[in-house]
Amino acid sequence: MERNSNIPIRNIYYMLSYAYQTLNLSEYKEVGTEDFENVKELYAEILSIGIPVLLRGGLSKDYISVEETSNVIKGKIDINSTLKKNTLVNKKVSVIYDEFSENILLNQIIKATLVYLSRSNQLSGKKRRLFYGFLPYFTEVADVELNLKLWRKVRYNRQNIRYQFIVDVCRYLYEQLLFDESSTSQLMKELQDEQRLSSLYEKFIYAFFKRETNYKVSRSQIQWDVDDGFTEALPIMQTDLILQKDKKTLIVDAKFYSENMIARFEGGAAKQKSSNLYQIFTYINNWRKSPEETVAGMLLYAKTTALNQPNHVYNIKGKQIFVASLDLQKDFAGIKVNLVAHANQFFV
């Protein structure tokens, strides 16, 4: 199998820096200069700095629904629960009320992660003790069983967005430790690495163009260009990145795979992945362009170690589709130059 997960740790740090601007705070300035043997050490170091920063700002609170038996009426009385529990015998009723509390999902995830990390033999004793020392700050937060499903329930808003970086890094580190400890096959571990780094790669590409270029940058959904207005059950077309300048629009789809090209049989010619080409072609054909606007698409792959890499410009029915590869094993200055050059193929 091709590999592209052997990205230098320093470059993963830079990708995180772009994807999460929080990492540019002064508290993290020493992280980028340290040498780490593996990505687990990087994630653990970020959390050892980031969680105290989060705590200094105070744990976020929100209103949560509380159910209890009480002789004081507050909120609303739960008649069914009161009768079922027969609480009136003791002159009590079951009540439901809202309480402004730290016991919210985001805090539960961080606490559960700290418990897990403080017991992990894959971290140094110093790091385990450090993470254990953070737990007293979460005494008002309920214990939950840590699993990947918790992160799927997370929703961010303006009040809790400061949690996103730490909660995401908690997930990165937990997944890394979990799959290292499991007996999962090497193939499955590589697929999990691919999925984890794919999300970071997409965020990095978007943030880079947002910060480093003067393009108008967005990642909006594209609406289907239907004739009768009926769009029910059609899949959502969610873009990774849209670059616009001088009546030119480039729709970019970031791709991070273990295999960027496929062959029908061993030794056969490597071909582009048809599903990816169909996807980007559909995007540019459904884009509602203004008069004189030129629209093109780009598949931007993370380069693997395979000999054949996606690299071509296709002209299909009057539309350009750029297929390019980004070498994440280069020094980061070279990565920045290459990213700008890929976009310039269309805009210059």
Side-chain angles (χ1 to χ4, degrees), residues 4 11 30 48 51 54 111 137 143 145 161 187-190 222 228 238 242 252 267 287 312 329 333:
N4 62 10
N11 285 350
E30 298 298 327
S48 70
I51 290 178
L54 190 70
K111 181 179 182 180
Y137 293 95
D143 293 310
E145 183 178 350
I161 194 63
L187 174 61
M188 287 301 298
K189 289 180 180 178
E190 289 175 357
I222 298 175
D228 58 1
Q238 178 62 59
I242 297 175
V252 181
W287 179 263
H312 196 70
Q329 297 194 35

PDB file of all heavy atoms in Angstrom, residues 4 11 30 48 51 54 111 137 143 145 161 187-190 222 228 238 242 252 267 287 312 329 333:
ATOM      1  N   ASN A   4       1.170   7.904   2.929  1.00  0.00           N
ATOM      2  CA  ASN A   4       1.409   9.328   3.045  1.00  0.00           C
ATOM      3  C   ASN A   4       1.232   9.785   4.483  1.00  0.00           C
ATOM      4  O   ASN A   4       1.159  10.963   4.755  1.00  0.00           O
ATOM      5  CB  ASN A   4       0.505  10.151   2.117  1.00  0.00           C
ATOM      6  CG  ASN A   4      -0.972   9.993   2.434  1.00  0.00           C
ATOM      7  OD1 ASN A   4      -1.325   9.421   3.450  1.00  0.00           O
ATOM      8  ND2 ASN A   4      -1.820  10.500   1.578  1.00  0.00           N
ATOM      9  N   ASN A  11       5.686  19.252  10.453  1.00  0.00           N
ATOM     10  CA  ASN A  11       4.680  19.708   9.494  1.00  0.00           C
ATOM     11  C   ASN A  11       3.260  19.496  10.012  1.00  0.00           C
ATOM     12  O   ASN A  11       2.353  20.270   9.685  1.00  0.00           O
ATOM     13  CB  ASN A  11       4.870  19.012   8.149  1.00  0.00           C
ATOM     14  CG  ASN A  11       6.055  19.578   7.376  1.00  0.00           C
ATOM     15  OD1 ASN A  11       6.620  20.604   7.760  1.00  0.00           O
ATOM     16  ND2 ASN A  11       6.443  18.915   6.301  1.00  0.00           N
ATOM     17  N   GLU A  30       6.780  27.657  22.340  1.00  0.00           N
ATOM     18  CA  GLU A  30       7.890  26.721  22.472  1.00  0.00           C
ATOM     19  C   GLU A  30       7.615  25.379  21.793  1.00  0.00           C
ATOM     20  O   GLU A  30       8.548  24.634  21.505  1.00  0.00           O
ATOM     21  CB  GLU A  30       8.214  26.478  23.958  1.00  0.00           C
ATOM     22  CG  GLU A  30       8.651  27.722  24.719  1.00  0.00           C
ATOM     23  CD  GLU A  30       9.942  28.304  24.152  1.00  0.00           C
ATOM     24  OE1 GLU A  30      10.789  27.511  23.682  1.00  0.00           O
ATOM     25  OE2 GLU A  30      10.092  29.538  24.155  1.00  0.00           O
ATOM     26  N   SER A  48      -1.042  19.606  27.346  1.00  0.00           N
ATOM     27  CA  SER A  48      -0.461  19.989  28.640  1.00  0.00           C
ATOM     28  C   SER A  48      -0.368  21.508  28.771  1.00  0.00           C
ATOM     29  O   SER A  48      -0.354  22.045  29.881  1.00  0.00           O
ATOM     30  CB  SER A  48       0.921  19.359  28.816  1.00  0.00           C
ATOM     31  OG  SER A  48       1.866  19.943  27.933  1.00  0.00           O
ATOM     32  N   ILE A  51      -4.826  22.939  28.051  1.00  0.00           N
ATOM     33  CA  ILE A  51      -5.867  22.758  29.067  1.00  0.00           C
ATOM     34  C   ILE A  51      -5.742  23.797  30.178  1.00  0.00           C
ATOM     35  O   ILE A  51      -6.761  24.378  30.591  1.00  0.00           O
ATOM     36  CB  ILE A  51      -5.863  21.311  29.607  1.00  0.00           C
ATOM     37  CG1 ILE A  51      -6.364  20.369  28.507  1.00  0.00           C
ATOM     38  CG2 ILE A  51      -6.740  21.185  30.855  1.00  0.00           C
ATOM     39  CD1 ILE A  51      -6.376  18.904  28.887  1.00  0.00           C
ATOM     40  N   LEU A  54      -7.270  26.908  28.925  1.00  0.00           N
ATOM     41  CA  LEU A  54      -8.727  26.794  28.955  1.00  0.00           C
ATOM     42  C   LEU A  54      -9.260  27.003  30.374  1.00  0.00           C
ATOM     43  O   LEU A  54     -10.247  27.712  30.583  1.00  0.00           O
ATOM     44  CB  LEU A  54      -9.142  25.417  28.433  1.00  0.00           C
ATOM     45  CG  LEU A  54     -10.631  25.187  28.159  1.00  0.00           C
ATOM     46  CD1 LEU A  54     -11.085  25.990  26.952  1.00  0.00           C
ATOM     47  CD2 LEU A  54     -10.901  23.710  27.928  1.00  0.00           C
ATOM     48  N   LYS A 111     -12.837  15.845  30.623  1.00  0.00           N
ATOM     49  CA  LYS A 111     -12.595  15.093  31.856  1.00  0.00           C
ATOM     50  C   LYS A 111     -12.347  13.616  31.557  1.00  0.00           C
ATOM     51  O   LYS A 111     -11.394  13.016  32.089  1.00  0.00           O
ATOM     52  CB  LYS A 111     -13.790  15.230  32.808  1.00  0.00           C
ATOM     53  CG  LYS A 111     -13.581  14.479  34.125  1.00  0.00           C
ATOM     54  CD  LYS A 111     -14.756  14.639  35.073  1.00  0.00           C
ATOM     55  CE  LYS A 111     -14.484  13.920  36.394  1.00  0.00           C
ATOM     56  NZ  LYS A 111     -15.627  14.068  37.341  1.00  0.00           N
ATOM     57  N   TYR A 137     -10.266  20.199  38.816  1.00  0.00           N
ATOM     58  CA  TYR A 137     -11.015  21.314  38.246  1.00  0.00           C
ATOM     59  C   TYR A 137     -12.344  20.858  37.639  1.00  0.00           C
ATOM     60  O   TYR A 137     -13.176  21.690  37.270  1.00  0.00           O
ATOM     61  CB  TYR A 137     -10.183  22.008  37.163  1.00  0.00           C
ATOM     62  CG  TYR A 137      -8.958  22.714  37.686  1.00  0.00           C
ATOM     63  CD1 TYR A 137      -7.723  22.074  37.686  1.00  0.00           C
ATOM     64  CD2 TYR A 137      -9.040  24.012  38.200  1.00  0.00           C
ATOM     65  CE1 TYR A 137      -6.579  22.712  38.169  1.00  0.00           C
ATOM     66  CE2 TYR A 137      -7.903  24.655  38.684  1.00  0.00           C
ATOM     67  CZ  TYR A 137      -6.683  24.004  38.667  1.00  0.00           C
ATOM     68  OH  TYR A 137      -5.567  24.644  39.149  1.00  0.00           O
ATOM     69  N   ASP A 143     -18.831  11.933  35.245  1.00  0.00           N
ATOM     70  CA  ASP A 143     -17.976  10.986  34.539  1.00  0.00           C
ATOM     71  C   ASP A 143     -18.784  10.319  33.422  1.00  0.00           C
ATOM     72  O   ASP A 143     -19.928   9.907  33.631  1.00  0.00           O
ATOM     73  CB  ASP A 143     -17.466   9.903  35.500  1.00  0.00           C
ATOM     74  CG  ASP A 143     -16.513  10.466  36.544  1.00  0.00           C
ATOM     75  OD1 ASP A 143     -15.574  11.170  36.153  1.00  0.00           O
ATOM     76  OD2 ASP A 143     -16.711  10.206  37.748  1.00  0.00           O
ATOM     77  N   GLU A 145     -18.318   7.528  29.909  1.00  0.00           N
ATOM     78  CA  GLU A 145     -17.434   6.547  29.282  1.00  0.00           C
ATOM     79  C   GLU A 145     -16.895   7.127  27.983  1.00  0.00           C
ATOM     80  O   GLU A 145     -17.657   7.541  27.103  1.00  0.00           O
ATOM     81  CB  GLU A 145     -18.198   5.251  29.004  1.00  0.00           C
ATOM     82  CG  GLU A 145     -17.321   4.154  28.411  1.00  0.00           C
ATOM     83  CD  GLU A 145     -18.096   2.869  28.184  1.00  0.00           C
ATOM     84  OE1 GLU A 145     -19.246   2.776  28.657  1.00  0.00           O
ATOM     85  OE2 GLU A 145     -17.553   1.968  27.513  1.00  0.00           O
ATOM     86  N   ILE A 161     -16.719  28.239  21.298  1.00  0.00           N
ATOM     87  CA  ILE A 161     -15.795  27.954  20.209  1.00  0.00           C
ATOM     88  C   ILE A 161     -14.350  27.845  20.700  1.00  0.00           C
ATOM     89  O   ILE A 161     -13.528  27.178  20.066  1.00  0.00           O
ATOM     90  CB  ILE A 161     -15.912  29.037  19.106  1.00  0.00           C
ATOM     91  CG1 ILE A 161     -15.212  28.586  17.819  1.00  0.00           C
ATOM     92  CG2 ILE A 161     -15.369  30.367  19.600  1.00  0.00           C
ATOM     93  CD1 ILE A 161     -15.810  27.376  17.182  1.00  0.00           C
ATOM     94  N   LEU A 187      -3.738  -2.730   8.352  1.00  0.00           N
ATOM     95  CA  LEU A 187      -4.513  -2.084   7.310  1.00  0.00           C
ATOM     96  C   LEU A 187      -5.545  -1.138   7.913  1.00  0.00           C
ATOM     97  O   LEU A 187      -5.697   0.007   7.472  1.00  0.00           O
ATOM     98  CB  LEU A 187      -5.213  -3.131   6.441  1.00  0.00           C
ATOM     99  CG  LEU A 187      -6.190  -2.595   5.382  1.00  0.00           C
ATOM    100  CD1 LEU A 187      -5.455  -1.685   4.396  1.00  0.00           C
ATOM    101  CD2 LEU A 187      -6.873  -3.740   4.657  1.00  0.00           C
ATOM    102  N   MET A 188      -6.249  -1.597   8.953  1.00  0.00           N
ATOM    103  CA  MET A 188      -7.262  -0.762   9.577  1.00  0.00           C
ATOM    104  C   MET A 188      -6.634   0.447  10.251  1.00  0.00           C
ATOM    105  O   MET A 188      -7.182   1.552  10.222  1.00  0.00           O
ATOM    106  CB  MET A 188      -8.065  -1.576  10.595  1.00  0.00           C
ATOM    107  CG  MET A 188      -9.029  -2.564   9.984  1.00  0.00           C
ATOM    108  SD  MET A 188     -10.241  -1.746   8.902  1.00  0.00           S
ATOM    109  CE  MET A 188     -11.063  -0.668  10.086  1.00  0.00           C
ATOM    110  N   LYS A 189      -5.466   0.261  10.862  1.00  0.00           N
ATOM    111  CA  LYS A 189      -4.784   1.386  11.497  1.00  0.00           C
ATOM    112  C   LYS A 189      -4.409   2.440  10.469  1.00  0.00           C
ATOM    113  O   LYS A 189      -4.514   3.645  10.715  1.00  0.00           O
ATOM    114  CB  LYS A 189      -3.543   0.896  12.241  1.00  0.00           C
ATOM    115  CG  LYS A 189      -3.867   0.101  13.496  1.00  0.00           C
ATOM    116  CD  LYS A 189      -2.602  -0.366  14.202  1.00  0.00           C
ATOM    117  CE  LYS A 189      -2.960  -1.167  15.451  1.00  0.00           C
ATOM    118  NZ  LYS A 189      -1.762  -1.678  16.156  1.00  0.00           N
ATOM    119  N   GLU A 190      -3.954   1.991   9.291  1.00  0.00           N
ATOM    120  CA  GLU A 190      -3.584   2.937   8.252  1.00  0.00           C
ATOM    121  C   GLU A 190      -4.815   3.693   7.752  1.00  0.00           C
ATOM    122  O   GLU A 190      -4.750   4.897   7.474  1.00  0.00           O
ATOM    123  CB  GLU A 190      -2.890   2.202   7.105  1.00  0.00           C
ATOM    124  CG  GLU A 190      -1.493   1.707   7.468  1.00  0.00           C
ATOM    125  CD  GLU A 190      -0.855   0.870   6.371  1.00  0.00           C
ATOM    126  OE1 GLU A 190      -1.522   0.640   5.354  1.00  0.00           O
ATOM    127  OE2 GLU A 190       0.297   0.466   6.547  1.00  0.00           O
ATOM    128  N   ILE A 222     -22.919  24.001  -2.711  1.00  0.00           N
ATOM    129  CA  ILE A 222     -23.358  24.279  -4.077  1.00  0.00           C
ATOM    130  C   ILE A 222     -24.751  23.682  -4.259  1.00  0.00           C
ATOM    131  O   ILE A 222     -24.991  22.521  -3.905  1.00  0.00           O
ATOM    132  CB  ILE A 222     -22.378  23.679  -5.106  1.00  0.00           C
ATOM    133  CG1 ILE A 222     -20.991  24.322  -4.953  1.00  0.00           C
ATOM    134  CG2 ILE A 222     -22.887  23.874  -6.530  1.00  0.00           C
ATOM    135  CD1 ILE A 222     -19.930  23.706  -5.841  1.00  0.00           C
ATOM    136  N   ASP A 228     -36.771  21.736 -12.405  1.00  0.00           N
ATOM    137  CA  ASP A 228     -38.120  21.893 -11.850  1.00  0.00           C
ATOM    138  C   ASP A 228     -38.130  22.361 -10.398  1.00  0.00           C
ATOM    139  O   ASP A 228     -39.187  22.425  -9.779  1.00  0.00           O
ATOM    140  CB  ASP A 228     -38.893  20.576 -11.969  1.00  0.00           C
ATOM    141  CG  ASP A 228     -38.177  19.432 -11.251  1.00  0.00           C
ATOM    142  OD1 ASP A 228     -37.111  19.677 -10.651  1.00  0.00           O
ATOM    143  OD2 ASP A 228     -38.679  18.303 -11.297  1.00  0.00           O
ATOM    144  N   GLN A 238     -21.027  19.807  -0.512  1.00  0.00           N
ATOM    145  CA  GLN A 238     -20.269  20.640   0.422  1.00  0.00           C
ATOM    146  C   GLN A 238     -18.827  20.754  -0.050  1.00  0.00           C
ATOM    147  O   GLN A 238     -18.107  19.773  -0.112  1.00  0.00           O
ATOM    148  CB  GLN A 238     -20.313  20.048   1.834  1.00  0.00           C
ATOM    149  CG  GLN A 238     -19.501  20.833   2.853  1.00  0.00           C
ATOM    150  CD  GLN A 238     -20.021  22.242   3.032  1.00  0.00           C
ATOM    151  OE1 GLN A 238     -21.186  22.436   3.394  1.00  0.00           O
ATOM    152  NE2 GLN A 238     -19.182  23.239   2.775  1.00  0.00           N
ATOM    153  N   ILE A 242     -13.317  27.253  -1.864  1.00  0.00           N
ATOM    154  CA  ILE A 242     -13.613  27.992  -3.085  1.00  0.00           C
ATOM    155  C   ILE A 242     -12.755  29.250  -3.090  1.00  0.00           C
ATOM    156  O   ILE A 242     -12.779  30.031  -2.135  1.00  0.00           O
ATOM    157  CB  ILE A 242     -15.105  28.372  -3.183  1.00  0.00           C
ATOM    158  CG1 ILE A 242     -15.980  27.119  -3.250  1.00  0.00           C
ATOM    159  CG2 ILE A 242     -15.360  29.238  -4.406  1.00  0.00           C
ATOM    160  CD1 ILE A 242     -17.469  27.404  -3.234  1.00  0.00           C
ATOM    161  N   VAL A 252     -12.032  23.834  -5.065  1.00  0.00           N
ATOM    162  CA  VAL A 252     -10.966  22.905  -4.697  1.00  0.00           C
ATOM    163  C   VAL A 252     -11.518  21.832  -3.771  1.00  0.00           C
ATOM    164  O   VAL A 252     -12.222  22.127  -2.800  1.00  0.00           O
ATOM    165  CB  VAL A 252      -9.805  23.645  -3.992  1.00  0.00           C
ATOM    166  CG1 VAL A 252      -8.681  22.660  -3.639  1.00  0.00           C
ATOM    167  CG2 VAL A 252      -9.275  24.773  -4.869  1.00  0.00           C
ATOM    168  N   GLY A 267       0.316  -4.104 -11.965  1.00  0.00           N
ATOM    169  CA  GLY A 267       1.180  -3.791 -13.094  1.00  0.00           C
ATOM    170  C   GLY A 267       0.492  -2.982 -14.175  1.00  0.00           C
ATOM    171  O   GLY A 267       1.129  -2.549 -15.141  1.00  0.00           O
ATOM    172  N   TRP A 287     -22.326  24.994 -10.411  1.00  0.00           N
ATOM    173  CA  TRP A 287     -22.030  26.323  -9.878  1.00  0.00           C
ATOM    174  C   TRP A 287     -22.801  27.382 -10.685  1.00  0.00           C
ATOM    175  O   TRP A 287     -22.734  27.414 -11.904  1.00  0.00           O
ATOM    176  CB  TRP A 287     -20.534  26.600  -9.966  1.00  0.00           C
ATOM    177  CG  TRP A 287     -20.140  27.961  -9.459  1.00  0.00           C
ATOM    178  CD1 TRP A 287     -19.938  29.088 -10.199  1.00  0.00           C
ATOM    179  CD2 TRP A 287     -19.908  28.334  -8.103  1.00  0.00           C
ATOM    180  NE1 TRP A 287     -19.584  30.146  -9.404  1.00  0.00           N
ATOM    181  CE2 TRP A 287     -19.567  29.720  -8.102  1.00  0.00           C
ATOM    182  CE3 TRP A 287     -19.957  27.651  -6.893  1.00  0.00           C
ATOM    183  CZ2 TRP A 287     -19.262  30.406  -6.920  1.00  0.00           C
ATOM    184  CZ3 TRP A 287     -19.661  28.340  -5.721  1.00  0.00           C
ATOM    185  CH2 TRP A 287     -19.321  29.696  -5.744  1.00  0.00           C
ATOM    186  N   HIS A 312      -2.184  16.661 -13.580  1.00  0.00           N
ATOM    187  CA  HIS A 312      -2.601  16.891 -14.957  1.00  0.00           C
ATOM    188  C   HIS A 312      -3.650  18.000 -14.982  1.00  0.00           C
ATOM    189  O   HIS A 312      -4.266  18.318 -13.959  1.00  0.00           O
ATOM    190  CB  HIS A 312      -3.195  15.617 -15.570  1.00  0.00           C
ATOM    191  CG  HIS A 312      -3.284  15.654 -17.058  1.00  0.00           C
ATOM    192  ND1 HIS A 312      -2.181  15.599 -17.867  1.00  0.00           N
ATOM    193  CD2 HIS A 312      -4.354  15.770 -17.884  1.00  0.00           C
ATOM    194  CE1 HIS A 312      -2.553  15.664 -19.133  1.00  0.00           C
ATOM    195  NE2 HIS A 312      -3.874  15.767 -19.166  1.00  0.00           N
ATOM    196  N   GLN A 329       5.851  16.085   2.909  1.00  0.00           N
ATOM    197  CA  GLN A 329       7.109  15.708   3.535  1.00  0.00           C
ATOM    198  C   GLN A 329       8.218  16.718   3.250  1.00  0.00           C
ATOM    199  O   GLN A 329       9.327  16.589   3.754  1.00  0.00           O
ATOM    200  CB  GLN A 329       7.527  14.314   3.077  1.00  0.00           C
ATOM    201  CG  GLN A 329       6.534  13.238   3.506  1.00  0.00           C
ATOM    202  CD  GLN A 329       7.085  11.838   3.367  1.00  0.00           C
ATOM    203  OE1 GLN A 329       8.266  11.613   3.583  1.00  0.00           O
ATOM    204  NE2 GLN A 329       6.248  10.900   3.002  1.00  0.00           N
ATOM    205  N   ALA A 333       8.314  25.669   4.224  1.00  0.00           N
ATOM    206  CA  ALA A 333       8.440  26.781   3.282  1.00  0.00           C
ATOM    207  C   ALA A 333       8.140  26.301   1.867  1.00  0.00           C
ATOM    208  O   ALA A 333       7.487  26.998   1.083  1.00  0.00           O
ATOM    209  CB  ALA A 333       9.841  27.385   3.366  1.00  0.00           C
TER     210      ALA A 333
END
